[in-house]
Amino acid sequence: MGASQTRTVHKYQDLADKTGFSLEQIKNLYQRFQHLSGNEETISRDNLESIPALANNPIRKQIIAAFFDKRNQHQDEVGSCNEIGFEQFLMVMSHFRPPNAKTTEEEKEAMRKEKLRFLFNMHDTNNDGTITLVEYRKVVEELLSNSGDIGQEAAKAIADAAMLEVASTNVPHMGPEDFYAGITFEHFEQILEGLEMESRMHIRFLDVNTATMRCGKSQS
Amino acid sequence: MPSRTGSHRPAGIGKSLSERGLLLLIVLVLLEGSVLPLGAASSPDISHKEDLDKHKVPEENYTKKAFPVLDLDYHHVHTPFEVSLWVLLASLMKLGFHLIPRLSGIVPESCLLITVGLLVGGLIKLAGEKVPPVLDSKLFFLCLLPPIILDAGYFLPIRPFMENLGTILMFAVVGTLWNAFFVGGLLYAVCQIQPANPSILHNIELLPCLLFGSIVSAVDPVAVLAVFEEIHINELLHILVFGESLLNDAVTVVLYHLFEEYSGAGTVSVLDCVLGVISFLVVSIGGVLVGAFYGILTAFTSRFTSHTRVIEPLFVFVYSYMAYLSAEMFHLSGIMALIACGAVMRPYVEANISHKSHTTIKYFLKMWSSVSETLIFIFLGVATVDGPHAWDWTFVTVTVILCLVSRVIGVIGLTYVINKFRIVKLTTKDQFIVAYGGLRGAIAFSLGFLLDENLFPMRKMFLTAIITVIFFTVFVQGMTIKPLVELLAVKKKQEAKRTINEEIHTQFLDHLLTGIEDICGHYGHHHWKDKLNRFNKKYVKKCLIAGERSREPQLIAFYHKMEFKQAIELVESGGGIKLPSAVPSTVSMQNIQPKKPPTAKPAERVLPQLPKGREEEIRKILRSNLQRTRMRLRSYNRHTLVADPFEDGFGDLLMKKQKMIELEKKIHDMNNYLTVPAAPPDSPTMCRARLASGKDTDFKPAQQHKGNTICPDPQAYSMKPTSDSVPTIHVDLASPQSPDSVNVMDEFKRASKKRDEEDQGLMMRPSTGLRHAGEADGGKEQQKLTRCLSDPGPSADEEEDEPFLP
């Protein structure tokens, strides 16, 4: 028991170094992970899809897909897997870490890039480096998927307008025969410049444990 | 939808009568509300009685005559007359400052206005008149303050406000309490230690000191707004300081009443403290509740105004004013009530009312608030001249110093605590600006003015000290904050308007973060925000928003708004040349359309080979048609306003808008063909340079003509795709060659168009960007036309370039 205890602590320390989470946070997330997976080693799509709170989320599919996307796991692989272990789970979660006071400017910049890359990968489903109009339309459609028919009608128009906007701000001069293939990562960075993703794209991971965690568990 | 379609006149007659009766009542209430306090404020005034005596003499003279052809009865109009005079003076002053070029850049408007007030007050005093007590507290709190606060509340940026609510509350509540007790306590201590010469300061007790501290410690929203609007600071700092100034009202109100109540008795028990805390909760939460109640009422009322659009804005104003008055009636925080009212009603009201009403509300609020603000500062100046002053060096200096010190300590201490919880930490610079931006203003003065002379014998000294603090903060801090902001390179506000991409991604991020939180299994901000949003969508919107729009998701609403704005811009520009300025590019739908048969292009492009004159003609026709439709509908009707094409219900609106968009597209496309832009797409810097040099879609660059003439030429196409990789240098390289080649090709035309050719040779040399600029100015259309017929275009040049390339 004692040996396994130290081993897990050791493993946690490894993960903490890799992901930047604190040990407490990792412990919390591990509990959650076990709860979701039903005490299995890995987690599958079904596990995530069965989270009741997610049921109302219009972009549920993309969120779940992002967890199983190998691009988001700090590896150079491409494609998606069917099951992820705790480490991969943590890797995906680590994209949502808030910056803290100690992060330097360069680190912040790297963090921003990383977060934006995560978003970009969510949109760029076929991993060709651009978000094409079709992909963008899909995103907006999903966003509006909760609002029925009006949503679907408007989605196309909105995506088109948005794409037009990107094209016109990034490549202001195009002949009618030019073709804007899609949003590249650079353009993506540029259009989201005003949103200050580095500070916005985060959630608060619980540091202190158990009581709230339990409460959350019992509800879900 | 059904209630909207009912908006056509025949259905509405029966109902509108009773409705109008109700409205009349409301208007009367409003008038009473706004005029009476004015009258009450300015009429019990001895100077007017003097006026009255003066004017009686000529009146008697006139009455002896048979029939007074011309009569002078100033007294009859004197109150509204004087009020209008003040307003006029204020507005003219505001106008004047902006005519003097450099002045408004250096000195904040508030300082200038106070100076004007001082001058006016001085003049009145020199003239031997008694200065009217202009900044009467009643007038201030009932008439001048509400418009400013409503304006702030209605246009409160809710998102940043809510995101920083914790910090704001901390500054507003704890900060203000700290300031009040620190200033009050130390002031009392200073008053006690002065053994040498006996002074009146010894007589001051602790409670009046604390009262004074609570008056003088609150940051003033009016002063803060006046200064912060001018320095364009980033949103975070703005909302921190401004939010604090709004929310500390509850603290100030409670402290003020508490100390005022007990300074007579002289002692405060623990029970009183507890009651004070409870009272604070009641005052603040009560204020918010009252405001929210009226806000919902406004939203609900606006649901039914589709028949009588004219009075829509009135509901917003009257309900808000009622909220303020109701809150003040119970000594609740009127400011918080107004803020809550404005913030609650806005999303629903905006969805219900017409576009014009929205504009009206916007302008009225801005107008009222800016006039109020101007008047407040002028009156502050006048009151300074007028006020009975009791200058006490020790007291005044100690107050000013203590105010500054307590503010700095308070901000630093509180940020230390707050930063532990914040994700985006407040840097030292931020802290400095927050501390430095703590301006005091007319609210403090009015509260001091309200003090009872009998209870507080040192009222005059208090008032003097308050005025000094106000002047110090407004003049010294207000004037130096702008250079300091620049010196410290504090981040400024970006003026960019929100793009549809940002909107999409904001929403996407919201959902994403909610989803991640759900997966993490703990319920944080995003989770609750999502819950609230869903509740809002499911129930509240249905009740408060009429018709289709209640079910419209935010993104679609945003898109419609944007589309609508563009359509309006289009109409207002009269479909003129500046038309595509909203999207300063020539990128059109076909550039992003993924599947497009390339064969279709040549045919399409050959079609609109419109010469410039013809294009103008088309524009003119379109414009005049648009104007005619608008003109036809423009008949005066007192109750319904102009039946604007945009406002006959939502369906209609959509249709019209669609038409507008289509039209825009058409014109845009047409424009597009005519302004096929530079063939060798310039380096980004060049693009920017050209963008900066003006809307170059307005130019008719040479390439477009080339494009038009050459379009069957496959070379034009072979060149375009490579465009991204071909730097502009190529053109430069080619330039010595190009005139020759052109000349060779156009040999036979040369004789007849010699001048033209010279021009062309010149034009070909620099890279295309320059050429555009060169051609755009000067009405050389004819020349250009001929040239575009003769010019082989850059593709030929490019071809010849090839050997020259390494």
Side-chain angles (χ1 to χ4, degrees), chain B residues 164-179 217 219 239-241 243-245 247-248 251 407-416 418 422 426 430-431 434-435:
Chain B
N164 297 299
L165 189 64
T167 313
I168 293 171
L169 274 179
M170 191 86 173
F171 278 129
V173 178
V174 184
T176 311
L177 277 177
W178 154 261
N179 279 355
S217 62
V219 177
I239 201 70
L240 283 187
V241 181
E244 179 200 344
S245 71
L247 298 193
N248 66 19
V251 184
R407 177 84 189 158
V408 170
I409 296 178
V411 168
I412 291 177
L414 284 176
T415 19
Y416 179 75
I418 291 165
R422 280 184 69 92
L426 294 177
D430 294 340
Q431 292 175 36
V434 170

Coordinates of all heavy atoms in Angstrom, one line a residue, chain B residues 164-179 217 219 239-241 243-245 247-248 251 407-416 418 422 426 430-431 434-435:
Chain B
N164 N -15.6 41.3 -13.4 CA -14.7 42.0 -12.4 C -15.5 42.4 -11.2 O -15.1 43.2 -10.4 CB -14.0 43.2 -13.0 CG -13.1 42.8 -14.1 OD1 -12.1 42.0 -13.9 ND2 -13.3 43.3 -15.3
L165 N -16.7 41.8 -11.1 CA -17.6 42.3 -10.0 C -17.0 42.2 -8.6 O -17.1 43.0 -7.8 CB -18.9 41.5 -10.1 CG -20.0 42.0 -9.1 CD1 -20.4 43.4 -9.6 CD2 -21.2 41.1 -9.1
G166 N -16.3 41.1 -8.4 CA -15.6 40.9 -7.1 C -14.7 42.0 -6.8 O -14.7 42.6 -5.7
T167 N -13.8 42.3 -7.7 CA -12.8 43.3 -7.5 C -13.5 44.7 -7.3 O -13.2 45.4 -6.4 CB -11.9 43.5 -8.7 OG1 -11.5 42.1 -9.1 CG2 -10.7 44.3 -8.4
I168 N -14.5 44.9 -8.1 CA -15.2 46.2 -8.0 C -15.9 46.3 -6.6 O -15.8 47.4 -6.0 CB -16.3 46.3 -9.1 CG1 -15.6 46.4 -10.5 CG2 -17.1 47.5 -8.9 CD1 -16.5 46.3 -11.7
L169 N -16.6 45.3 -6.2 CA -17.2 45.3 -4.9 C -16.2 45.5 -3.8 O -16.5 46.3 -2.9 CB -18.0 44.0 -4.7 CG -19.4 44.0 -5.3 CD1 -20.1 42.7 -5.0 CD2 -20.3 45.1 -4.7
M170 N -15.1 44.9 -3.9 CA -14.1 45.0 -2.9 C -13.7 46.4 -2.8 O -13.6 47.0 -1.7 CB -12.9 44.1 -3.3 CG -11.9 43.9 -2.3 SD -12.3 42.6 -1.2 CE -10.9 42.4 -0.2
F171 N -13.4 47.0 -3.9 CA -12.9 48.5 -3.9 C -14.1 49.3 -3.4 O -13.8 50.2 -2.6 CB -12.5 48.9 -5.3 CG -11.1 48.5 -5.7 CD1 -10.9 47.9 -6.9 CD2 -10.1 48.8 -4.8 CE1 -9.6 47.6 -7.2 CE2 -8.8 48.5 -5.2 CZ -8.5 47.9 -6.4
A172 N -15.3 49.1 -3.9 CA -16.4 49.9 -3.6 C -16.8 49.9 -2.1 O -17.0 50.9 -1.4 CB -17.6 49.6 -4.4
V173 N -16.8 48.7 -1.6 CA -17.3 48.5 -0.2 C -16.2 48.6 0.8 O -16.1 49.6 1.6 CB -18.0 47.2 0.0 CG1 -18.5 47.0 1.4 CG2 -19.2 47.1 -1.0
V174 N -15.2 47.7 0.7 CA -14.2 47.7 1.7 C -13.3 49.0 1.5 O -12.9 49.6 2.5 CB -13.3 46.5 1.6 CG1 -12.2 46.4 2.7 CG2 -14.2 45.2 1.6
G175 N -13.0 49.3 0.3 CA -12.2 50.5 0.0 C -12.8 51.8 0.6 O -12.1 52.6 1.2
T176 N -14.1 51.9 0.3 CA -14.7 53.2 0.8 C -14.8 53.2 2.3 O -14.6 54.2 2.9 CB -16.1 53.3 0.2 OG1 -16.1 53.1 -1.2 CG2 -16.7 54.6 0.4
L177 N -15.1 52.0 2.9 CA -15.2 52.0 4.4 C -13.8 52.4 4.9 O -13.7 53.2 5.9 CB -15.5 50.6 4.8 CG -17.0 50.2 4.8 CD1 -17.2 48.8 5.2 CD2 -17.7 51.1 5.8
W178 N -12.8 51.8 4.4 CA -11.5 52.0 4.8 C -11.1 53.5 4.7 O -10.7 54.1 5.7 CB -10.5 51.2 4.0 CG -9.1 51.8 3.9 CD1 -8.6 52.5 2.9 CD2 -8.1 51.7 5.0 NE1 -7.3 52.9 3.2 CE2 -7.0 52.4 4.5 CE3 -8.0 51.1 6.2 CZ2 -5.8 52.5 5.2 CZ3 -6.8 51.3 6.9 CH2 -5.7 51.9 6.4
N179 N -11.4 54.1 3.5 CA -11.1 55.5 3.3 C -11.9 56.3 4.4 O -11.3 57.2 5.0 CB -11.6 55.9 1.9 CG -10.6 55.5 0.9 OD1 -9.5 55.1 1.2 ND2 -11.0 55.7 -0.4
S217 N -14.7 60.6 1.1 CA -13.9 59.4 0.7 C -14.5 58.7 -0.6 O -13.8 58.0 -1.2 CB -13.8 58.4 1.8 OG -15.1 57.9 2.1
V219 N -15.5 57.9 -4.2 CA -15.1 58.3 -5.6 C -16.4 58.6 -6.3 O -17.4 58.0 -6.2 CB -14.4 57.1 -6.3 CG1 -14.1 57.5 -7.7 CG2 -13.1 56.8 -5.5
I239 N -13.6 50.0 -16.1 CA -14.7 49.4 -15.4 C -14.4 49.3 -13.9 O -15.3 49.4 -13.1 CB -15.1 48.1 -16.0 CG1 -16.5 47.7 -15.7 CG2 -14.2 47.0 -15.6 CD1 -17.6 48.5 -16.3
L240 N -13.1 49.1 -13.6 CA -12.8 49.0 -12.1 C -13.1 50.4 -11.4 O -13.8 50.4 -10.4 CB -11.3 48.7 -12.0 CG -10.9 47.2 -12.2 CD1 -9.5 47.0 -11.8 CD2 -11.8 46.3 -11.4
V241 N -12.5 51.4 -12.0 CA -12.7 52.7 -11.3 C -14.1 53.2 -11.4 O -14.7 53.6 -10.4 CB -11.8 53.8 -11.9 CG1 -11.9 55.1 -11.2 CG2 -10.3 53.3 -11.8
G243 N -16.9 51.4 -12.0 CA -17.8 50.5 -11.2 C -17.7 50.8 -9.8 O -18.7 50.8 -9.1
E244 N -16.5 51.0 -9.3 CA -16.3 51.4 -7.9 C -17.1 52.6 -7.6 O -17.8 52.7 -6.6 CB -14.8 51.6 -7.6 CG -14.6 52.0 -6.1 CD -13.3 52.6 -5.9 OE1 -12.4 52.5 -6.7 OE2 -13.1 53.3 -4.8
S245 N -17.0 53.6 -8.4 CA -17.6 54.9 -8.1 C -19.1 54.7 -8.1 O -19.8 55.5 -7.4 CB -17.2 55.9 -9.2 OG -17.8 55.7 -10.4
L247 N -20.8 51.8 -7.4 CA -21.3 50.9 -6.3 C -21.0 51.4 -4.9 O -21.6 50.9 -3.9 CB -20.7 49.5 -6.5 CG -21.1 48.8 -7.8 CD1 -20.7 47.3 -7.7 CD2 -22.6 48.9 -8.0
N248 N -20.1 52.4 -4.8 CA -19.8 52.8 -3.4 C -20.9 53.8 -2.9 O -20.9 54.2 -1.8 CB -18.5 53.5 -3.3 CG -18.4 54.8 -4.1 OD1 -19.4 55.4 -4.5 ND2 -17.2 55.2 -4.4
V251 N -22.6 52.4 0.1 CA -21.8 52.6 1.3 C -21.9 54.0 1.8 O -22.1 54.3 3.0 CB -20.3 52.2 1.1 CG1 -19.5 52.3 2.3 CG2 -20.2 50.8 0.5
R407 N -6.2 56.6 0.0 CA -6.6 56.0 -1.3 C -5.4 55.1 -1.8 O -5.7 53.9 -2.2 CB -6.8 57.1 -2.3 CG -7.1 56.6 -3.7 CD -8.5 56.3 -3.9 NE -8.7 55.7 -5.2 CZ -9.8 54.9 -5.5 NH1 -10.7 54.7 -4.6 NH2 -9.9 54.3 -6.7
V408 N -4.2 55.6 -1.7 CA -3.1 54.8 -2.1 C -3.0 53.5 -1.3 O -2.9 52.4 -1.8 CB -1.8 55.6 -2.1 CG1 -0.6 54.7 -2.3 CG2 -1.8 56.7 -3.1
I409 N -3.0 53.7 0.1 CA -2.9 52.5 0.9 C -4.0 51.5 0.7 O -3.8 50.3 0.6 CB -2.9 52.9 2.4 CG1 -1.7 53.8 2.7 CG2 -2.9 51.7 3.3 CD1 -1.6 54.3 4.1
G410 N -5.2 52.1 0.6 CA -6.4 51.2 0.3 C -6.3 50.4 -0.9 O -6.5 49.2 -0.9
V411 N -5.9 51.1 -2.0 CA -5.8 50.4 -3.3 C -4.7 49.3 -3.2 O -4.9 48.1 -3.6 CB -5.5 51.3 -4.4 CG1 -5.1 50.6 -5.7 CG2 -6.7 52.2 -4.7
I412 N -3.5 49.7 -2.7 CA -2.5 48.7 -2.6 C -2.8 47.5 -1.8 O -2.6 46.4 -2.1 CB -1.2 49.4 -2.2 CG1 -0.7 50.4 -3.2 CG2 -0.1 48.3 -1.9 CD1 0.5 51.1 -2.8
G413 N -3.4 47.8 -0.6 CA -3.7 46.7 0.3 C -4.8 45.8 -0.3 O -4.7 44.6 -0.3
L414 N -5.8 46.4 -0.9 CA -6.9 45.6 -1.4 C -6.4 44.8 -2.6 O -6.8 43.7 -2.8 CB -8.1 46.5 -1.8 CG -8.9 47.0 -0.7 CD1 -9.9 48.0 -1.1 CD2 -9.5 45.9 0.1
T415 N -5.6 45.4 -3.5 CA -5.2 44.6 -4.7 C -4.3 43.5 -4.2 O -4.3 42.4 -4.8 CB -4.3 45.5 -5.7 OG1 -3.8 46.6 -5.0 CG2 -5.1 45.8 -6.9
Y416 N -3.6 43.7 -3.1 CA -2.8 42.6 -2.6 C -3.7 41.4 -2.3 O -3.4 40.2 -2.7 CB -2.0 43.0 -1.4 CG -1.2 41.9 -0.8 CD1 0.0 41.5 -1.4 CD2 -1.6 41.2 0.3 CE1 0.7 40.5 -0.9 CE2 -0.9 40.1 0.9 CZ 0.3 39.8 0.2 OH 1.1 38.8 0.7
I418 N -6.9 41.0 -3.5 CA -7.7 40.7 -4.7 C -6.8 39.8 -5.6 O -7.3 38.9 -6.2 CB -8.2 41.9 -5.4 CG1 -9.2 42.6 -4.5 CG2 -8.8 41.6 -6.7 CD1 -9.5 44.0 -4.9
R422 N -7.5 36.8 -8.4 CA -7.7 37.1 -9.8 C -6.8 36.3 -10.7 O -5.7 35.9 -10.4 CB -7.4 38.6 -10.0 CG -8.5 39.5 -9.6 CD -8.1 40.9 -9.9 NE -8.1 41.1 -11.4 CZ -9.1 41.5 -12.1 NH1 -10.2 41.8 -11.5 NH2 -9.0 41.7 -13.4
L426 N -3.7 42.5 -11.2 CA -3.6 43.9 -11.4 C -2.1 44.3 -11.2 O -1.5 44.0 -10.1 CB -4.4 44.7 -10.4 CG -5.9 44.5 -10.5 CD1 -6.7 45.2 -9.4 CD2 -6.4 45.1 -11.8
D430 N -1.5 49.4 -13.0 CA -3.0 49.4 -12.9 C -3.4 49.9 -11.5 O -4.3 50.8 -11.4 CB -3.5 47.9 -13.0 CG -3.4 47.4 -14.3 OD1 -3.2 48.2 -15.3 OD2 -3.4 46.1 -14.5
Q431 N -2.6 49.5 -10.5 CA -2.9 50.0 -9.1 C -2.8 51.5 -9.1 O -3.6 52.2 -8.5 CB -2.0 49.3 -8.1 CG -2.3 47.9 -8.0 CD -1.3 47.2 -7.0 OE1 -0.8 47.8 -6.1 NE2 -0.9 46.0 -7.3
V434 N -5.7 53.1 -10.8 CA -6.9 53.0 -10.0 C -6.9 54.0 -8.8 O -7.8 54.7 -8.5 CB -7.1 51.6 -9.4 CG1 -8.2 51.5 -8.4 CG2 -7.4 50.6 -10.6
A435 N -5.7 54.1 -8.2 CA -5.6 55.0 -7.0 C -5.6 56.4 -7.5 O -6.3 57.2 -6.9 CB -4.2 54.7 -6.3

